[in-house]
């Protein structure tokens, strides 16, 4: 890692480690909007990693975004920092000057009716209820930004009680619209990338908790971690975590190198699909074995593990399951053919 | 306290200057491998063809990172990495030179005397010398330090007695690098061990008895030493330092791309057998393994990068081998399930069935050779600070 990345990793970890604890998470799950942490995260530029300096950002790349996104997973941060970072990137790429306030992502392709207005129900919008704006991509590759004037929200949640609301647009007109050379499904692709990064972070936290708990807890006269059966579980968690982390980072970096302009060979789509497929696939082992080594305490609300595992169970489905991304990869691989597969893996 | 940094696989990208080498190797393999059947190509590092190894040697693609002074090519470990992953992924028969190129050559280069290096390294680089490794014994498998085969000092050299086992290629190798006990009175089983460079063709008293594997193939052996006399200069490295040397050697053995690439040919054939019209469920399953292949490649490359930078990625290498052998062991079952064909022996069924049958019969060894899965998990647990 370079110096900027080291500083970023340290500052983001410090901020979240100090602020995000059990009581804080419980309050957020009960519906509190953590305005203070949101302001701090914005002030430190965490939501603006990808934004240009002119737009008040760090002008950094996806490599740096990975550090922030992974930290959001590791500390189970109950805020749409990853989503905001992506929203600001999309808006700026379309030449729209970023408004201040929370911009929620509309995960499905948005298209106008014949009248030119947008009337849509968009489910599973992260933090839709807290948003001042919504951003979506149209099938003709435009970025559309809406305010809340012609929008209403029906609250819903994921397993971790993170807001995943249905946003209703009622004959809305975008407050800004700009062409942008991205795939119409860019939010699904990039959302999958964000979740892969968050899963990598939560996986690391599961491993840390599991190692710590089994080292502290004594049964039969010795720490649980001294039992080979437990060590075997821990080694498996470590392997799964490392695989998710490595592939997620590779996908973020591929985006820096190749972008997501199209879904052809020249884009990072192969790595993104591999990252989300691997990450979602790993969740079963990560959650099962982390809970197994924790025994009953890990099954309680008063212990931290569940803040991570409930997120993992939701994130593995959000923006596409392992099966969906696996199918995409399987289709890509069979189209390339067996003799070309290795060249694709090593490109 | 767990240090997550110790489990990181930093992104590593091969220098672009290696692209030309990769293309050159691919072009060569495209032609050179047409003479092998799909079944033979599924043997990868168990495939054995001295002619093929000599061809690679003639192109300067063996002993690549060994010193030029002694007949190596003085090129980087990364260049060797490219050769190795390309030959494995394509299913080239690399078995004749495999052990020599991967570990015996580097061990001789590191610990050998000038005379040993001059004698051995040119032949390794030419693909003309086949090596085997004398580590395991009948009562000494994963607990390697408990070896009992002795080398006793005599007037003009050493006298060796005992038995090695699971010695791949001992019946056809030119040399063995053996781990032998030179001091039985040492206070720890890790002391009193030494490595020897043994000329198998010129040493009376050594008998290799092939042991058939579960498929009836003869590739590994029981090797008995009965008053086998070695010259004094057969000692490799320092007397009594054998354990330290062997640990370093095992690092070569555990860190390469072969830890996830012995079955890649099967994944390629599976992809072709399915085709784009396969059911979404089948595509999803094969796609999940494609995701693993890309992931493991990134991890393996990261290990190569760390080695190149002089770091010790022992923990990461164990993780790659653990995940890699699970990947390889899943593939035969999946390739059968998704295509719905019975695995077959040679001369039965079609190419796909033969490849499937071959790898199904080979797969149990993936998590045994070069350190069992259980040993690797122990190394990982130690890396996590719980052992």
């Amino acid at each position: 890692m370079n110096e900027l990345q080291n500083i970023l990793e340290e500052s983001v970890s410090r901020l979240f480690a100090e602020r995000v604890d059990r009581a804080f998470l419980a309050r957020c799950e009960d519906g509190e909007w953590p305005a203070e942490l949101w302001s701090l995260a914005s002030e430190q530029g965490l939501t603006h990693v990808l934004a240009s300096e002119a737009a008040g950002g760090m002008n950094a790349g996806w490599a740096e975004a990975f550090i922030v996104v992974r930290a959001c997973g590791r500390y189970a941060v109950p805020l749409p920092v990853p989503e905001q970072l992506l929203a600001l990137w999309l808006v700026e790429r379309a030449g729209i000057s970023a408004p201040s306030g929370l911009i929620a992502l509309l995960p499905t392709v948005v298209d106008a009716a014949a009248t030119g207005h947008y009337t849509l129900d968009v489910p599973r919008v992260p933090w839709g209820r807290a948003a001042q704006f919504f951003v979506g991509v149209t099938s003709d590759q435009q970025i559309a930004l809406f305010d809340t004037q012609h929008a209403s929200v029906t609250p819903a949640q994921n397993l971790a009680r993170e807001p995943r609301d249905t946003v209703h647009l009622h004959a809305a007109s975008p407050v800004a619209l700009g062409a942008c050379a991205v795939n119409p499904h860019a939010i699904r692709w990039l959302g999958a990338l964000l979740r892969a990064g968050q899963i990598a972070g939560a996986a690391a936290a599961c491993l840390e908790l599991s190692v710590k708990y089994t080292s502290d807890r004594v049964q039969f006269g010795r720490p649980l971690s001294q039992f080979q059966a437990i060590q075997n579980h821990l080694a498996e968690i470590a392997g799964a975590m490392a695989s998710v982390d490595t592939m997620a980072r590779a996908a973020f970096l591929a985006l820096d190198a190749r972008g997501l302009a199209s879904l052809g060979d020249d884009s990072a789509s192969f790595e993104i699909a591999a990252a989300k497929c691997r990450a979602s696939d790993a969740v079963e082992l990560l959650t099962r074995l982390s809970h197994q080594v924790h025994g009953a305490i890990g099954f309680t609300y008063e212990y931290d593990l569940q803040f991570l595992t409930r997120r993992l169970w939701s994130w593995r489905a959000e923006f596409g399951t392992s099966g969906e991304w696996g199918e995409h990869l399987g289709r890509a691989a069979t189209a390339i053919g067996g003799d070309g597969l290795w060249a694709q893996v090593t490109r | 306290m767990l240090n997550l940094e110790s489990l990181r696989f930093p992104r590593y990208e091969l220098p672009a200057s290696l692209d030309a080498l990769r293309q050159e190797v691919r072009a060569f393999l495209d032609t050179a491998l047409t003479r092998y059947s799909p079944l033979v190509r599924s043997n990868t590092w168990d495939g054995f063809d001295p002619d093929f190894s000599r061809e690679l040697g003639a192109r300067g693609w063996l002993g690549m990172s060994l010193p030029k002074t002694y007949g190596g090519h003085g090129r980087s470990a990364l260049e060797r990495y490219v050769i190795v992953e390309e030959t494995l992924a394509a299913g080239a028969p690399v078995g004749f030179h495999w052990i020599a190129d991967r570990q015996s050559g580097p061990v001789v280069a590191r610990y050998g005397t000038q005379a040993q290096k001059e004698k051995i390294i040119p032949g390794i680089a030419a693909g003309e010398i086949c090596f085997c490794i004398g580590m395991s014994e009948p009562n000494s498998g994963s607990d390697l330090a408990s070896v009992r085969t002795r080398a006793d000092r005599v007037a003009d050299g050493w006298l060796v007695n005992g038995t090695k086992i699971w010695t791949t290629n001992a019946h056809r190798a030119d040399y063995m690098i053996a781990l032998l006990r030179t001091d039985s009175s040492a206070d720890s089983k890790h002391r009193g061990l030494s490595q020897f460079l043994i000329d198998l063709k010129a040493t009376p008293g050594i008998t290799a008895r092939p042991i058939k594997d579960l498929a009836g193939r003869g590739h590994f052996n029981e090797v008995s030493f009965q008053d086998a006399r070695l010259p004094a200069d057969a000692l490799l490295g320092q007397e009594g330092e054998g354990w330290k040397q062997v640990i370093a050697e095992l690092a070569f053995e555990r860190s390469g791309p072969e830890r996830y690439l012995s079955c890649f040919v099967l994944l390629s054939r599976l992809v072709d057998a399915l085709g784009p019209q396969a059911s979404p469920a089948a595509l999803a399953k094969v796609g999940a393994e494609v995701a693993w292949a890309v992931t493991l490649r990134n991890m393996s490359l990261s290990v190569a990068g760390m080695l190149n930078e002089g770091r010790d990625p022992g923990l990461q290498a164990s993780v790659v081998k653990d995940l890699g052998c699970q990947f390889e062991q899943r593939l035969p079952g999946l390739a059968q399930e998704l295509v719905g064909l019975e695995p077959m022996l040679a001369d039965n069924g079609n190419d796909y069935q033969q490849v499937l049958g071959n790898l199904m019969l080979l797969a149990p060894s993936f998590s045994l050779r070069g350190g069992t899965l259980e040993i690797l998990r122990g190394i990982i647990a130690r890396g996590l600070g719980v052992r």
Side-chain angles (χ1 to χ4, degrees):
Chain A
M1 291 206 291
N2 62 35
E3 202 180 336
L4 169 64
Q5 291 169 346
N6 282 324
I7 292 169
L8 190 59
E9 171 115 48
E10 202 184 309
S11 64
V12 66
S13 298
R14 195 181 320 115
L15 175 68
F16 292 147
E18 274 173 12
R19 305 260 168 176
V20 182
D21 59 16
R22 197 175 305 162
F24 178 84
L25 283 164
R27 285 200 306 277
C28 292
E29 291 202 3
D30 287 340
E32 182 181 315
W33 165 252
E36 192 192 350
L37 186 60
W38 179 249
S39 308
L40 286 170
S42 306
E43 281 162 25
Q44 292 196 9
L46 303 183
T47 51
H48 287 63
V49 171
L50 294 170
S52 68
E53 280 171 28
M58 283 186 199
N59 200 26
W62 288 95
E64 287 73 31
F66 175 63
I67 290 167
V68 173
V69 171
R70 184 175 63 185
C72 288
R74 183 168 170 195
Y75 296 99
V77 176
L79 282 170
V81 171
E83 287 88 346
Q84 181 78 355
L85 178 155
L86 169 55
L88 290 172
W89 182 79
L90 283 168
V91 164
E92 191 171 359
R93 277 177 60 114
I96 300 169
S97 67
S100 70
L102 198 164
I103 310 172
L105 299 171
L106 301 176
T108 50
V109 178
V110 295
D111 278 316
T115 58
H117 292 104
Y118 291 75
T119 299
L120 297 160
D121 296 327
V122 185
R124 311 309 286 173
V125 176
W127 278 275
R129 71 190 70 168
Q132 280 86 53
F133 296 92
F134 305 103
V135 67
V137 185
T138 67
S139 40
D140 58 351
Q141 295 186 303
Q142 303 219 73
I143 305 294
L145 185 71
F146 302 92
D147 62 13
T148 54
Q149 204 182 345
H150 296 281
S152 62
V153 171
T154 306
Q157 300 173 315
N158 67 11
L159 288 183
R161 299 182 189 282
E162 295 178 308
R164 295 292 185 264
D165 306 319
T166 300
V167 171
H168 313 277
L169 297 179
H170 311 281
S173 299
V175 291
L177 194 64
C180 175
V182 291
N183 184 277
H185 299 282
I187 291 180
R188 189 158 185 84
W189 282 88
L190 297 171
L193 178 73
L194 297 179
R195 291 295 182 262
Q198 288 168 283
I199 289 172
C206 281
L207 176 65
E208 284 180 307
L209 275 183
S210 297
V211 168
K212 183 170 187 334
Y213 178 77
T214 57
S215 300
D216 293 346
R217 170 83 170 162
V218 174
Q219 289 286 277
F220 305 103
R222 51 185 169 144
L224 289 178
S225 64
Q226 295 306 301
F227 292 86
Q228 277 200 345
I230 300 290
Q231 291 175 358
N232 194 55
H233 288 337
L234 295 174
E236 285 211 80
I237 296 169
M241 184 282 285
S243 71
V244 172
D245 192 72
T246 305
M247 195 60 236
R249 182 190 287 107
F252 275 80
L253 295 181
L255 204 51
D256 273 334
R258 290 196 288 273
L260 192 68
S262 72
L263 298 186
D265 290 346
D266 57 335
S267 89
S269 62
F270 189 74
E271 285 82 359
I272 292 174
K276 184 57 161 70
C277 178
R278 175 81 286 274
S280 289
D281 210 10
V283 164
E284 192 277 327
L285 183 149
L286 287 166
T287 53
R288 175 169 51 84
L289 294 184
S290 297
H291 276 291
Q292 187 63 37
V293 301
H294 274 88
I297 191 72
F299 196 62
T300 65
Y301 193 80
E302 67 191 59
Y303 187 82
D304 289 344
L305 182 64
Q306 46 82 19
F307 289 117
L308 299 163
T309 53
R310 283 184 295 129
R311 279 174 172 74
L312 286 171
W313 288 317
S314 289
W315 293 345
R316 107 169 124 180
E318 290 177 2
F319 298 103
T321 60
S322 156
E324 177 181 329
W325 293 110
E327 187 187 335
H328 180 90
L329 290 168
R331 228 172 264 294
T334 50
I336 292 162
D339 288 339
L341 185 59
W342 176 246
Q344 177 70 19
V345 168
T346 52
R347 70 179 183 147
Chain B
M1 185 66 194
L2 170 66
N3 175 13
L4 282 174
E5 278 308 311
S6 67
L7 271 168
R8 286 261 192 274
F9 287 74
R11 170 78 174 173
Y12 188 74
E13 290 198 50
L14 290 170
S17 57
L18 297 189
D19 288 350
L21 174 64
R22 185 184 300 282
Q23 296 314 324
E24 205 185 325
V25 179
R26 277 187 192 168
F28 164 73
L29 292 173
D30 271 350
T31 316
L33 297 184
T34 50
R35 65 181 194 254
Y36 303 107
S37 68
L39 174 61
V40 169
R41 287 176 69 168
S42 71
N43 282 320
T44 59
W45 45 306
D46 293 278
F48 194 90
D49 184 347
D51 292 336
F52 178 79
S53 295
R54 264 194 296 274
E55 279 178 64
L56 279 190
R59 283 165 191 273
W61 292 341
L62 296 180
M64 286 192 90
S65 51
L66 300 178
K68 261 187 175 165
T69 336
Y70 299 105
H73 297 291
R75 293 167 82 173
S76 75
L78 298 173
E79 287 171 279
R80 177 178 176 271
Y81 185 91
V82 169
I83 306 289
V84 170
E85 66 172 0
E86 288 299 324
T87 48
L88 290 174
V94 295
F96 178 87
H97 67 262
W98 184 251
I99 290 168
D101 181 66
R102 177 178 72 184
Q103 60 196 92
S104 310
V107 166
V108 171
R110 188 150 159 190
Y111 300 111
T113 60
Q114 176 133 349
Q116 285 170 329
K117 291 186 223 183
E118 282 170 358
K119 186 174 171 193
I120 296 296
I121 294 178
I124 290 180
E128 287 171 353
I129 298 184
C130 179
F131 264 83
C132 65
I133 309 162
M135 289 194 194
S136 295
E137 294 185 4
N139 293 308
S140 174
S142 289
D143 181 12
L144 182 58
S146 65
V147 300
R148 281 192 286 190
T149 299
R150 318 160 43 116
D152 296 317
R153 211 181 253 287
V154 289
D156 52 351
W158 304 86
L159 196 63
V160 182
N161 280 287
T163 308
K164 292 289 175 183
I165 201 166
W166 316 129
T167 317
T168 298
N169 292 336
H171 60 305
R172 51 194 178 186
D174 302 293
Y175 289 91
M176 172 192 284
I177 291 181
L179 181 66
L180 304 176
R181 189 158 297 283
T182 43
D183 179 3
S184 307
S185 65
D187 51 356
S188 143
K189 66 180 183 179
H190 297 95
R191 295 202 196 140
L193 295 168
S194 307
Q195 281 192 305
F196 288 85
L197 176 64
I198 302 175
D199 185 340
L200 294 174
K201 302 269 163 81
T203 311
I206 303 176
T207 317
R209 182 182 69 81
I211 303 171
K212 279 187 185 176
D213 74 4
L214 52 75
R217 296 170 293 211
H219 46 86
F220 52 28
N221 299 266
E222 183 180 76
V223 184
S224 52
F225 296 83
Q226 287 173 310
D227 288 337
R229 281 181 179 274
L230 307 183
D233 63 5
L235 180 69
L236 181 59
Q238 293 294 310
E239 183 178 348
E241 294 293 303
W243 182 252
K244 224 159 77 186
Q245 293 176 205
V246 147
I247 291 301
E249 181 178 347
L250 284 171
F252 295 124
E253 190 172 340
R254 286 177 183 163
S255 55
E258 66 271 24
R259 294 312 175 181
Y260 75 101
L261 280 180
S262 25
C263 258
F264 196 80
V265 168
L266 181 60
L267 184 60
S268 296
R269 298 289 70 84
L270 170 60
V271 158
D272 283 340
L274 289 175
Q277 302 309 316
S279 75
L283 290 171
K285 281 189 175 169
V286 80
E289 299 306 340
V290 170
W292 263 117
V294 185
T295 303
L296 287 163
R297 207 277 176 154
N298 274 289
M299 298 177 92
S300 170
L301 201 52
S302 174
V303 169
M306 286 187 274
L307 282 172
N308 192 52
E309 286 159 12
R311 296 166 62 185
D312 172 19
L315 174 58
Q316 288 94 335
S318 296
V319 172
V320 177
K321 184 173 187 300
D322 177 354
L323 300 175
C325 73
Q326 291 184 64
F327 164 72
E328 297 191 310
Q329 289 182 331
R330 273 194 309 273
L331 287 178
L334 187 72
Q336 176 187 271
E337 169 82 14
L338 296 183
V339 179
L341 286 173
E342 182 185 343
M344 296 272 195
L345 295 171
D347 305 321
N348 292 253
N350 61 26
D351 283 341
Y352 187 84
Q353 291 176 298
Q354 291 174 19
V355 169
L356 180 58
N358 190 36
L359 287 169
M360 205 163 276
L361 293 172
L362 205 52
S365 69
F366 297 161
S367 54
L368 303 173
R369 60 191 184 186
T372 65
L373 188 64
E374 291 74 13
I375 290 292
L376 296 173
R377 296 265 166 92
I379 293 171
I380 298 167
R382 187 172 293 126
L384 296 175
V386 295
R387 259 187 86 209

